[in-house]
Amino acid sequence: LAPSSPPTRRGAAAGALPDLLPACNGEITTMSFLQDIVDILLQYVVKSFDRTTKVIDFHYPNELLQEYNWELADQPQTLEEILLNCRTTLKYAIKTGHPRYFNQLSTGLDMVGLAADWLTSAANTNMFTYEIAPVFVLLEYVTLRKMREMVGWPGGCGDGIFSPGGAISNMYAMLIARFKMFPEVKEKGMAAIPRLVAFTSEHSHFSVKKGAAALGIGTDSVILIRCDERGKMIPSDLERRILEAKQKGFVPFLVSATAGTTVYGAFDPLIAIADICKKYKIWMHVDGAWGGGLLMSRKHKWKLNGVERANSVTWNPHKMMGVPLQCSALLVREEGLMQSCNQMHASYLFQQDKHYDLSYDTGDKALQCGRHVDVFKLWLMWRAKGTTGFEAQIDKCLELAEYLYNKIKNREGYEMVFDGKPQHTNVCFWYIPPSLRSMEDNEERMSRLMKVAPVIKARMMEYGTTMVSYQPLGDKVNFFRMVISNPAATHQDIDFLIDEIERLGQDL
Amino acid sequence: LAPSSPPTRRGAAAGALPDLLPACNGEITTMSFLQDIVDILLQYVVKSFDRTTKVIDFHYPNELLQEYNWELADQPQTLEEILLNCRTTLKYAIKTGHPRYFNQLSTGLDMVGLAADWLTSAANTNMFTYEIAPVFVLLEYVTLRKMREMVGWPGGCGDGIFSPGGAISNMYAMLIARFKMFPEVKEKGMAAIPRLVAFTSEHSHFSVKKGAAALGIGTDSVILIRCDERGKMIPSDLERRILEAKQKGFVPFLVSATAGTTVYGAFDPLIAIADICKKYKIWMHVDGAWGGGLLMSRKHKWKLNGVERANSVTWNPHKMMGVPLQCSALLVREEGLMQSCNQMHASYLFQQDKHYDLSYDTGDKALQCGRHVDVFKLWLMWRAKGTTGFEAQIDKCLELAEYLYNKIKNREGYEMVFDGKPQHTNVCFWYIPPSLRSMEDNEERMSRLMKVAPVIKARMMEYGTTMVSYQPLGDKVNFFRMVISNPAATHQDIDFLIDEIERLGQDL
């Protein structure tokens, strides 16, 4: 059918709905609106990588609420107003692709990844069946198999899923581990099975506890294992705590080792942990949300030696591999377990009399029903870079972290939080302002040092020049945690960060 | 800093990494690559709305695997190859925006929604803190408050979150309801609390059971309440089963009523259910994933009367409101409960000594750590349409469903699965091929009728002309479930569907 009316600026094809803009056979208004948006976005992309632009134009929440009318109303706005909404939103957004944005584990803005995400939006489908996402289901199959190969499982065999983030991936691991040991839990709940306990290091990600709370296991049943001074789990403490739990009559069902802790970037000793898991027949999960990316690097992947012995692995390509948010994979060694654990056989989605191979209807292994297409970004970036391109990008970030470490380890005004070269791109340090440098190491100094990083950080945000994270950890007061995952960062950006910290902190 | 080298086709600014394409001060290659992608996408958008284009170019999985080389390799591909990958992916994608794609509850492709999703990708951030998502956090606040107003909670007070889909939103409700009754479950797990039971109708979404399995409650503890012939929960049966459960010593903690069931589009009687929940002090959840959109319509919102008495509501704007996938909200009447239930106080994200109002760091109320920005699409569409625009769009879809119902209810060759006008856009019917029309209603007819819908559906997909879902339900053999959520659909498209079913099914 040809369009029944000529295109007009008010979207006449939609009938009485102004600005609804259904694209009808190339309607001019629609195309020019989308092109206007793209022009705004391209400008933003260019600015994101421009070091003369601020990382952030910071406003306090109450100011930002007043800067613009953000409210929702009964009546439509014009397309011109919609474009203005977009420009305003971007004006106050953080430029997470900026080469001096170091605030999170996910930084950078990959152009192929961005293009892939735009395509994903236009394709606008769900992952539950081959029927409605044929290509994406196949690409998930291809990509997960490749990731399992990198983990070291023979022939890339096994199972897996892309989930909405590392916390959910870790929760899946806990869910599947529990089901593997006590499949009756699915029908009968926790009431029917013994008291379970899980083990993870004191430096592990909080999602292990969050998952235990959600799954009805309880945070008290997550036993935190001591770490060495570098933040690595101490295997002898793990074994001791397993024995202790068994003596109490609890059933150890999961060890969640970490490959790349959030703050220190530490890699737990996976081989020793695998030995213990084997000895006590416990599911071994590796949370490689942050460190998994190093599997792409021939130079650094030894840090994950032993990961091939895990039963499950979390790996977030949206972190160290620079894939746009979100892209997190859970990989499982045993095939079919996710399906048995989660399937509910909804007859309106997973009809058994379809005309194609039903093994491609993978949706019933998920906790979600609808599931966003997260794989395409990773797949297209992998095609564009090749494994060697990811490797070069990751090696470069690690080299930059070492550069930063070497620059500050003996520099006046810096103290390292732990000794030795960083294993990941995490570099943890205190900046000591001149006024504290000659003070004795006592309570007063601690309480003053505690306030240094927050003030410098607040000033960074107000100037908008750079952003880096800080936090306390255990008995250590606030320190900076520098991480580098943006391949656009250079040595000059590291130099800039150091200068900026000193400029903003020297009077404290 | 100015770019240090002139742009080249191989992305020289990235050093040794071919095709990495970091956008460096407007680098020509990057911009022209993104523009090439946009041109491909605009063409796809135009085609999606063109009725002379196929909804799907169907290939069986093994064929599709062989049609193209989808594998991941060590070496990078050229930009030309990347563009070809995108064109190929779209060639085999389902055109979910096509006016004759009726296969799922989420259909259509809204132009403002698409633009908003593209912006979200370029902004590439996470929802956990105001620090890194200031505008999006505020817009989530504004939008959730507005949605709570539409639910009918005074002043839009309450709490909520955008979650990765309705299944997770429903799981949140179950999690929070359990925590509200037994807060100790967070630390001590299910072992420390009595045996819980939840109630939902036999027509409810499978995610209620899936959630119960995951949360350690167990699917056996989800009691399915009988429905009337229209698929509505029968309140007297609910009360009977609650009493029965209490007598057994179980603790009823949740009733999950459905506003818009997946197959029949039925609305449970919320007022009667609210009375029962009040009487027995049980958390009332309303799964309005599909039906919530009707709250935008002055004509249809009475179908959700009583929703204002719920403790929590799931509402997926990515279904009836046509927001791109994913966009699902859980709304909670009591403020602060989500936070208490889920928070873990990660000190690397939720520092207590930040320089701004920490109540805007909303990430700790989530089960996820990183959380995709799902709100912007909805917010921008709401600005573009106004509430009245959503209303008109929804009214139109409901009118089309009634048109279909009126057309087929007395037409030869059709049997309705249930009597009466559709309450939502779900129209459920059997197509009876001529060969079955004069047959007695016996087992043979049933077993032949069972095969009719799958064959017609397979033919639809092979011709690529339209797509509509079918399924069995209880003792009813395979029937078509027609749903309309795409505002681009017209009366002619409904006529086309009927003709197509008859064309493809007359020889069966």
Side-chain angles (χ1 to χ4, degrees):
Chain A
L1 296 182
S4 55
S5 57
T8 76
R9 190 67 188 168
R10 302 291 290 174
L17 310 178
D19 298 339
L20 184 66
L21 285 172
C24 185
N25 296 341
E27 197 186 313
I28 295 160
T29 316
T30 301
M31 294 303 115
S32 78
F33 167 70
L34 287 178
Q35 188 61 55
D36 286 349
I37 290 285
V38 167
D39 292 343
I40 292 171
L41 296 180
L42 292 184
Q43 256 190 307
Y44 180 77
V45 167
V46 170
K47 274 195 174 177
S48 284
F49 288 85
D50 176 359
R51 289 176 177 80
T52 66
T53 305
K54 283 179 169 190
V55 175
I56 174 175
D57 181 4
F58 182 77
H59 289 69
Y60 289 94
N62 55 346
E63 289 172 357
L64 191 50
L65 273 170
Q66 281 157 24
E67 284 278 318
Y68 193 68
N69 170 20
W70 307 100
E71 293 300 319
L72 298 168
D74 287 349
Q75 295 308 315
Q77 292 193 333
T78 64
L79 287 185
E80 284 72 17
E81 287 169 311
I82 293 304
L83 295 174
L84 180 61
N85 289 331
C86 289
R87 276 190 224 100
T88 308
T89 298
L90 290 174
K91 170 169 159 46
Y92 299 112
I94 311 292
K95 294 193 181 62
T96 58
H98 197 290
R100 291 173 184 166
Y101 173 78
F102 303 108
N103 208 63
Q104 307 295 142
L105 304 183
S106 299
T107 67
L109 184 59
D110 187 275
M111 292 302 108
V112 173
L114 179 63
D117 216 18
W118 286 357
L119 183 147
T120 303
S121 303
N124 193 33
T125 196
N126 249 324
M127 288 297 285
F128 32 63
T129 58
Y130 180 84
E131 185 175 328
I132 69 159
V135 189
F136 300 127
V137 164
L138 290 187
L139 296 184
E140 185 167 81
Y141 174 79
V142 165
T143 307
L144 288 172
R145 192 186 54 201
K146 185 77 179 175
M147 292 175 84
R148 289 189 300 259
E149 268 176 33
M150 311 289 298
V151 162
W153 293 337
C157 283
D159 213 331
I161 201 166
F162 283 91
S163 93
I168 302 291
S169 291
N170 286 341
M171 193 169 96
Y172 265 117
M174 191 173 268
L175 185 63
I176 299 163
R178 178 176 70 178
F179 176 79
K180 170 74 179 173
M181 194 175 270
F182 296 105
E184 64 270 34
V185 75
K186 182 175 179 180
E187 286 84 28
K188 308 211 170 301
M190 293 293 287
I193 67 171
R195 164 102 184 260
L196 303 179
V197 279
F199 304 84
T200 192
S201 90
E202 55 189 358
H203 280 230
S204 72
H205 192 258
F206 69 87
S207 56
V208 179
K209 280 199 164 195
K210 207 164 234 191
L215 303 190
I217 293 165
T219 54
D220 289 353
S221 296
V222 178
I223 294 174
L224 297 184
I225 306 303
R226 287 216 322 270
C227 290
D228 67 18
E229 72 291 345
R230 289 292 301 258
K232 294 164 183 286
M233 186 193 285
I234 300 173
S236 59
D237 194 51
L238 171 62
E239 185 159 18
R240 188 176 66 78
R241 301 300 297 270
I242 289 172
L243 289 170
E244 202 177 275
K246 284 168 81 84
Q247 234 167 10
K248 288 182 186 160
F250 303 154
V251 177
F253 79 110
L254 174 80
V255 173
S256 181
T258 313
T261 59
T262 312
V263 179
Y264 281 18
F267 290 81
D268 284 346
L270 301 182
I271 294 172
I273 292 169
D275 288 342
I276 293 170
C277 287
K278 188 179 172 196
K279 183 169 169 187
Y280 296 101
K281 296 192 176 60
I282 304 176
W283 184 282
M284 178 181 172
H285 174 64
V286 173
D287 175 3
W290 172 225
L294 272 59
L295 290 168
M296 309 297 276
S297 161
R298 281 165 289 190
K299 187 172 168 190
H300 295 288
K301 70 177 175 191
W302 63 270
K303 293 166 187 173
L304 289 103
N305 279 351
V307 70
E308 72 284 356
R309 294 176 60 190
N311 299 96
S312 57
V313 177
T314 293
W315 174 356
N316 288 8
H318 70 216
K319 293 196 165 83
M320 201 58 208
M321 289 162 73
V323 177
L325 292 156
Q326 286 186 326
C327 187
S328 168
L330 177 76
L331 309 173
V332 181
R333 199 167 53 190
E334 183 176 332
E335 216 180 326
L337 208 48
M338 296 193 76
Q339 183 81 8
S340 318
C341 178
N342 292 321
Q343 72 187 348
M344 291 290 152
H345 305 287
S347 63
Y348 77 96
L349 278 176
F350 308 113
Q351 301 90 331
Q352 295 305 299
D353 43 14
K354 287 183 185 175
H355 61 126
Y356 59 80
D357 177 355
L358 297 176
S359 69
Y360 290 92
D361 280 1
T362 52
D364 212 13
K365 70 168 84 164
L367 268 179
Q368 299 173 270
C369 173
R371 188 159 59 92
H372 189 261
V373 178
D374 290 337
V375 67
F376 189 66
K377 303 171 277 204
L378 171 58
W379 180 81
L380 197 68
M381 281 174 67
W382 207 322
R383 299 275 276 198
K385 290 178 206 295
T387 310
T388 55
F390 277 123
E391 175 179 50
Q393 176 175 323
I394 286 163
D395 286 353
K396 183 190 168 209
C397 290
L398 278 133
E399 190 276 316
L400 281 178
E402 203 172 321
Y403 173 79
L404 169 62
Y405 168 74
N406 286 327
K407 256 198 106 153
I408 61 174
K409 68 177 170 183
N410 298 317
R411 188 183 178 100
E412 200 189 345
Y414 290 84
E415 274 177 36
M416 304 312 291
V417 173
F418 56 83
D419 289 331
K421 265 188 2 185
Q423 281 218 303
H424 204 318
T425 71
N426 307 51
V427 181
C428 296
F429 61 90
W430 288 280
Y431 169 70
I432 319 288
S435 72
L436 297 186
R437 286 182 200 166
S438 51
M439 273 183 80
E440 260 182 85
D441 191 6
N442 56 21
E443 281 222 0
E444 196 208 329
R445 184 177 182 270
M446 274 294 182
S447 84
R448 286 183 55 187
L449 184 57
M450 186 176 75
K451 290 172 190 139
V452 169
V455 171
I456 294 176
K457 171 68 175 276
R459 290 176 178 178
M460 280 176 178
M461 289 180 69
E462 276 158 28
Y463 284 100
T465 46
T466 184
M467 278 175 76
V468 58
S469 188
Y470 75 86
Q471 70 282 300
L473 190 75
D475 58 356
K476 296 185 161 71
V477 300
N478 283 321
F479 54 86
F480 285 114
R481 179 209 62 178
M482 176 66 181
V483 281
I484 302 152
S485 59
N486 185 351
T490 62
H491 292 100
Q492 288 76 15
D493 295 311
I494 304 295
D495 295 342
F496 177 85
L497 175 79
I498 295 172
D499 291 346
E500 194 66 357
I501 287 175
E502 294 176 1
R503 181 175 81 87
L504 300 173
Q506 62 183 352
D507 65 327
L508 296 176
Chain B
L1 297 181
S4 54
S5 57
T8 77
R9 191 67 189 167
R10 302 291 289 174
L17 310 180
D19 297 339
L20 184 65
L21 286 171
C24 184
N25 297 339
E27 196 185 315
I28 295 161
T29 316
T30 301
M31 294 303 114
S32 77
F33 167 71
L34 288 177
Q35 189 60 56
D36 287 349
I37 290 285
V38 167
D39 292 342
I40 291 171
L41 296 179
L42 293 183
Q43 256 191 305
Y44 180 77
V45 166
V46 171
K47 273 195 172 176
S48 284
F49 289 84
D50 176 359
R51 289 176 177 79
T52 64
T53 305
K54 284 180 168 189
V55 175
I56 175 177
D57 180 3
F58 181 76
H59 288 69
Y60 289 93
N62 55 345
E63 288 172 359
L64 191 49
L65 274 169
Q66 281 157 24
E67 283 279 317
Y68 193 67
N69 171 20
W70 307 100
E71 293 299 320
L72 298 168
D74 286 349
Q75 296 307 316
Q77 291 192 335
T78 64
L79 287 184
E80 284 73 15
E81 287 170 311
I82 293 304
L83 295 173
L84 179 61
N85 288 331
C86 290
R87 276 190 224 100
T88 309
T89 298
L90 291 173
K91 171 170 160 42
Y92 299 112
I94 312 292
K95 293 195 181 61
T96 58
H98 197 291
R100 291 173 184 167
Y101 172 79
F102 304 109
N103 207 62
Q104 309 293 143
L105 305 183
S106 299
T107 67
L109 184 58
D110 187 275
M111 292 302 109
V112 173
L114 180 63
D117 216 19
W118 287 357
L119 183 147
T120 303
S121 302
N124 192 35
T125 196
N126 248 324
M127 289 296 287
F128 29 64
T129 58
Y130 181 84
E131 186 174 327
I132 68 159
V135 187
F136 300 126
V137 164
L138 289 187
L139 296 184
E140 186 168 81
Y141 173 79
V142 165
T143 307
L144 288 172
R145 192 186 53 203
K146 185 78 179 174
M147 292 175 85
R148 288 188 303 259
E149 269 176 32
M150 310 291 297
V151 163
W153 293 336
C157 283
D159 213 331
I161 200 165
F162 283 91
S163 93
I168 303 291
S169 291
N170 286 342
M171 193 169 93
Y172 266 116
M174 190 173 271
L175 185 64
I176 299 164
R178 177 176 69 178
F179 176 80
K180 171 74 177 171
M181 194 174 269
F182 296 105
E184 64 271 31
V185 74
K186 183 176 178 180
E187 285 85 28
K188 308 210 170 301
M190 293 293 288
I193 68 171
R195 164 101 184 259
L196 303 178
V197 280
F199 305 84
T200 192
S201 91
E202 54 188 359
H203 280 230
S204 71
H205 192 258
F206 69 88
S207 55
V208 179
K209 282 202 161 193
K210 208 166 232 192
L215 303 189
I217 292 163
T219 54
D220 288 353
S221 296
V222 178
I223 295 174
L224 297 184
I225 306 303
R226 288 215 323 269
C227 290
D228 67 17
E229 72 294 345
R230 289 292 300 257
K232 295 165 183 284
M233 187 194 284
I234 300 173
S236 59
D237 194 51
L238 172 62
E239 185 159 20
R240 188 177 66 78
R241 300 302 297 270
I242 289 172
L243 290 169
E244 202 178 274
K246 285 167 82 84
Q247 235 167 8
K248 289 183 185 159
F250 304 152
V251 178
F253 80 109
L254 174 80
V255 173
S256 181
T258 312
T261 59
T262 313
V263 180
Y264 280 18
F267 290 80
D268 285 345
L270 301 183
I271 294 173
I273 292 169
D275 289 342
I276 294 171
C277 287
K278 189 180 172 195
K279 183 169 170 190
Y280 296 100
K281 298 193 175 61
I282 304 176
W283 184 282
M284 177 180 172
H285 174 64
V286 174
D287 176 2
W290 172 226
L294 271 61
L295 290 167
M296 308 297 278
S297 161
R298 282 165 287 192
K299 186 170 169 195
H300 295 286
K301 69 179 175 190
W302 62 269
K303 295 167 186 173
L304 289 103
N305 279 352
V307 68
E308 71 285 355
R309 294 176 60 190
N311 299 93
S312 56
V313 178
T314 293
W315 175 357
N316 289 6
H318 70 216
K319 293 194 164 85
M320 201 57 208
M321 290 163 73
V323 178
L325 293 157
Q326 282 187 327
C327 188
S328 169
L330 177 77
L331 309 172
V332 181
R333 197 165 59 191
E334 181 176 333
E335 215 180 327
L337 208 48
M338 296 193 78
Q339 183 82 8
S340 318
C341 178
N342 292 321
Q343 71 188 347
M344 292 289 152
H345 304 287
S347 63
Y348 77 95
L349 280 176
F350 308 113
Q351 302 90 331
Q352 295 305 299
D353 44 14
K354 287 182 185 175
H355 61 125
Y356 59 81
D357 177 354
L358 296 177
S359 69
Y360 290 92
D361 281 359
T362 51
D364 212 13
K365 70 169 81 160
L367 268 179
Q368 299 174 269
C369 172
R371 190 159 59 92
H372 189 261
V373 177
D374 290 336
V375 68
F376 190 67
K377 302 170 281 206
L378 171 58
W379 180 80
L380 197 68
M381 281 174 68
W382 209 321
R383 300 275 277 196
K385 288 178 206 296
T387 310
T388 55
F390 276 123
E391 176 180 48
Q393 174 175 323
I394 286 162
D395 286 354
K396 184 190 167 211
C397 289
L398 277 132
E399 191 275 316
L400 280 179
E402 204 172 321
Y403 173 78
L404 169 63
Y405 167 75
N406 286 328
K407 257 199 105 150
I408 62 174
K409 67 177 172 185
N410 298 319
R411 190 182 177 100
E412 198 190 347
Y414 291 83
E415 274 176 36
M416 304 310 291
V417 174
F418 56 83
D419 289 332
K421 264 188 3 183
Q423 281 218 303
H424 205 316
T425 70
N426 307 52
V427 182
C428 296
F429 61 90
W430 287 279
Y431 169 70
I432 318 286
S435 71
L436 297 187
R437 286 180 201 166
S438 52
M439 274 184 80
E440 261 183 81
D441 192 6
N442 56 21
E443 280 221 0
E444 196 208 329
R445 183 177 183 271
M446 275 293 181
S447 83
R448 285 182 57 185
L449 184 56
M450 186 176 75
K451 290 173 191 138
V452 169
V455 171
I456 294 176
K457 170 68 176 276
R459 290 177 178 177
M460 279 176 178
M461 289 180 70
E462 275 158 28
Y463 283 101
T465 46
T466 184
M467 279 174 76
V468 58
S469 189
Y470 75 85
Q471 71 282 297
L473 190 76
D475 57 356
K476 297 184 161 73
V477 299
N478 284 321
F479 55 85
F480 285 112
R481 179 208 61 181
M482 176 66 179
V483 283
I484 302 152
S485 59
N486 185 352
T490 63
H491 293 99
Q492 288 77 12
D493 295 312
I494 304 295
D495 295 342
F496 177 86
L497 176 79
I498 296 173
D499 292 345
E500 193 67 356
I501 287 175
E502 294 176 1
R503 181 175 79 87
L504 298 174
Q506 62 181 355
D507 65 327
L508 296 177

